[in-house]
Every structure is written in structure tokens, then in C-alpha cells.
Amino acid sequence: MGTTHSSETNLDEVCQKLKSGHFKNVVIMCGAGISTSAGVPDFRSPSMGLYFKLKKYNLPYPEAVFEGSYFRQDPKPFYSLVRDIFPQELVPTPTHRFLALLHQKGFLRRVYTQNIDGLEFAGGLPEEKVVEAHGTFHRCHCSSCQKTFSLPWLQNEIFHPERNDGVPKCDCGGVVRPDVVLFGEAMPSRFFDLCNEDFERCDLLLIFGTSLAVAPFNGLFAKVGGDVTRVFINRTKPGSLGVLSRILGLGHRVSLSEATDLIELGDCDEKVEEICSKTGWTEDLSMIPISPIKMSSNIDS
Ligand code: OAD
């Protein structure tokens, strides 16, 4: 743990080893960057990221909108934001398909995702292969009596702010909220139950579409053995949050480095296509069946 990672290796070698079945316990860490091509905005990309578009919500600082303590005090900005970005339909991206392809080939140990959009499952992964470290938007509950509600019910409430003063409420009067992990709240026990053994067993770590700015998730990459290749695929370098993000305090530095890790800068869907071309899996990738997530269209009036 915490030892030097040797990366004399390059993407060609990683792909040859993947193809030959050398890696049997591939672990994936991913974040919002794998869903941007499905139309879900990320958080910290300058100008496009959510944290740069929050002026109208009148927040004390951008991350407040996803803070548990702020939500309990005033859930309205959270729901206003959700109303503004709620998608009609979510279609898994080539990167989501690639995760399912690794599973289909029998090489995938686990996917650790920070995303709450459920696209890993729509891309074809079974429940047991995914750890949703920051929860999910697809289930919700009353924060007072814990009664559960369906996503269509929540969506209906979200789009009728005139009925509920902009905040979905349970019959008991409690605020209903999705099962997402807000800042300051506990991560799911499944994360802690599985991560030690998964990262100990991991023989290839692929990190896709995340700034690695948020702890404790961003500490996971340091858990793999010193001889395990770590490949970081992202538009920007790990820890390169940009001046504005740093001024706004949007995250922590991490210590992946070009000297010791394989850092592949670029669009993750394009990198997935490159990997599949090098492994000869292009056709296999295109055959992965996907089930787009249709958000309820029957909102009553
Ligand atoms: P960020 O917005 O911090 O990082 C997303 C990264 O993906 C950025 O570095 C982008 O450059 C990169 N990116 C965007 N589109 C890409 C693409 N098509 N191909 C390759 N790279 C791309 O999002 P996360 O790292 O997921 O937590 O953020 C982590 C956590 O911070 C979230 O789960 C959320 C947030 O606050 C909570 O709300 C608790």
C-alpha cells in the first residue's frame, strides 16, 4: 500500500494483457465524466460543470447544494437544481458498455462509481458488480418516517413545485429525498464491506472520468498493490482542478503521477474505442445490449 507504482508499461501493453486474459480482477473507479456524453453535466469542468452554474440558487458556496446539513436547513436549491437538469431519457455511453464488456469477458471484479444516474446497470452490469459509493437517484425515502417512494412519484412532485412549495413531502410532513449521499453523510456500508478485499485482489485499476477531488472515494486508488498498473483516463490530469475550482475549494489534491501511473488524457468514450480497437473487441463492444432509462413521461397535471 502506498508503494511506488511502476508504469514502464503503455496502453498497448495493457491492451495486450487484457486481450490475453492476464488481468482477472479488473477494478474500475469512475465519476461524472463517463456520463457527460449521455447529457449529464459533471461538477467541476470549468463553465460546463454544475458548480459553475449555481449563481441563481443563491448559495453561500457551490458545494452547499450537495451538503447534508444545508439540505436539512433548506432543500429548495437542491430541488430547483434537479428540476433544471432532470433528463427525459438516459442512454448508456460506450464507456458504460465497456464496463459490461469486461464483465461479460469475466475480467471485472467491481465498478466503484460516484455517479447516481444508474447508467452502469442500464449498460448491462448486474447489481453485485457495482458499488454506488454516493448512492442513487433511483430510490427515495422520507427523511422523517423513512417511508419509501418511487422515482416516478418523486419526479411528479419535483415538477409540481406549486403544490409543495418546491419540496416533495411525505404524508407525515417529512421531506422526501433521493437515496444519494450528500456531503457529510455516511457512505453505504457496501462500500466499506467490499473495498479492502476488492482493491487487494485488483490486478488492473482503470479510473475513468473523475477529478478524484472527493474523499474518501479518491483514496481508493492508493489501496492497490505496488505492482498493479493504474490507468487514469480523463480529459484533465488527476488533481488538476483549475484555478477557479481551487479558489472555490472544490476538492483535494491526489498523487497519481505521470512518472508512476499511466495517464491517458482525452475523452473516455474515444479511449474506450481505442482500447477495443487494440484488443480486437470493437465488435464485441457494439454487441453489448443496452436499456436506456426512460424517465416517467406521465406527469399528471
Ligand atoms: P468532477 O466534475 O469533479 O470530475 C469529472 C471529470 O471528468 C473532470 O476532470 C472532467 O475533466 C472529466 N470529464 C468530463 N467529461 C469527460 C469525458 N467525456 N471524457 C473524459 N473525461 C471527462 O466529477 P466527479 O469526479 O465525479 O459528490 O465528482 C465527484 C463527486 O463530487 C460527485 O460524486 C459529487 C461531487 O460533489 C457529491 O455530491 C457527494
Side-chain angles (χ1 to χ4, degrees):
M1 309 293 147
T3 38
T4 307
H5 287 256
S6 159
S7 174
E8 293 120 39
T9 186
N10 58 39
L11 195 59
D12 283 334
E13 284 174 46
V14 171
C15 291
Q16 281 318 305
K17 286 184 174 174
L18 255 181
K19 185 179 179 173
S20 69
H22 174 89
F23 300 120
K24 300 204 163 35
N25 283 294
V26 180
V27 174
I28 310 282
M29 290 171 64
C30 57
I34 72 165
S35 291
T36 53
S37 66
V40 183
D42 70 8
F43 298 90
R44 294 174 182 79
S45 284
S47 76
M48 297 302 285
L50 280 180
Y51 289 140
F52 297 89
K53 295 181 170 175
L54 298 175
K55 270 203 187 104
K56 64 175 173 175
Y57 301 113
N58 221 1
L59 294 155
Y61 47 92
E63 274 180 330
V65 73
F66 297 123
E67 250 172 33
S69 55
Y70 193 84
F71 179 88
R72 286 187 286 281
Q73 181 195 315
D74 183 8
K76 274 190 193 171
F78 174 87
Y79 279 115
S80 302
L81 174 64
V82 170
R83 202 172 300 121
D84 284 351
I85 63 169
F86 205 91
Q88 292 298 307
E89 188 184 49
L90 283 169
V91 181
T93 68
T95 306
H96 293 102
R97 285 182 173 193
F98 180 67
L99 309 183
L101 180 63
L102 286 174
H103 169 58
Q104 197 183 76
K105 298 214 172 268
F107 303 150
L108 182 71
R109 182 162 184 98
R110 205 89 61 192
V111 172
Y112 284 75
T113 183
Q114 296 165 98
N115 300 344
I116 57 165
D117 53 33
L119 278 171
E120 295 81 9
F121 305 113
L125 284 176
E127 292 273 333
E128 87 263 10
K129 285 287 162 184
V130 184
V131 174
E132 294 178 291
H134 293 168
T136 178
F137 204 87
H138 291 265
R139 292 187 297 272
C140 49
H141 69 277
C142 168
S143 41
S144 293
C145 72
Q146 311 305 317
K147 180 176 169 185
T148 56
F149 294 82
S150 67
L151 179 59
W153 180 89
L154 182 68
Q155 185 185 357
N156 210 17
E157 291 301 302
I158 287 172
F159 284 98
H160 285 294
E162 72 288 354
R163 284 188 201 159
N164 52 29
D165 200 22
V167 178
K169 306 236 178 45
C170 176
D171 295 341
C172 81
V175 172
V176 177
R177 55 166 287 181
D179 292 4
V180 297
V181 177
L182 298 170
F183 286 112
E185 296 180 336
M187 310 243 295
S189 54
R190 182 170 158 75
F191 174 88
F192 299 102
D193 291 346
L194 295 175
C195 72
N196 285 340
E197 199 178 338
D198 280 349
F199 281 78
E200 249 163 50
R201 293 270 186 95
C202 169
D203 51 15
L204 174 67
L205 179 63
L206 301 179
I207 307 172
F208 282 106
T210 172
S211 61
L212 288 176
V214 172
F217 188 91
N218 66 357
L220 288 177
F221 74 87
K223 283 177 165 289
V224 296
D227 56 345
V228 173
T229 301
R230 306 188 298 196
V231 186
F232 179 81
I233 297 173
N234 201 55
R235 278 192 187 140
T236 51
K237 289 185 181 176
S240 61
L241 286 179
V243 178
L244 194 51
S245 292
R246 281 207 301 281
I247 292 171
L248 292 170
L250 295 176
H252 308 271
R253 285 195 166 280
V254 293
S255 58
L256 280 171
S257 86
E258 271 152 303
T260 54
D261 298 293
L262 187 53
I263 295 182
E264 291 285 323
L265 296 184
D267 180 279
C268 48
D269 293 341
E270 284 171 16
K271 288 285 172 191
V272 156
E273 275 153 22
E274 187 182 335
I275 292 170
C276 287
S277 149
K278 289 179 193 295
T279 48
W281 294 348
T282 302
E283 202 185 329
D284 297 349
L285 185 73
S286 70
M287 307 281 277
I288 293 288
I290 51 164
S291 358
I293 305 172
K294 289 231 184 284
M295 297 304 196
S296 166
S297 54
N298 55 346
I299 296 176
D300 60 39
S301 46

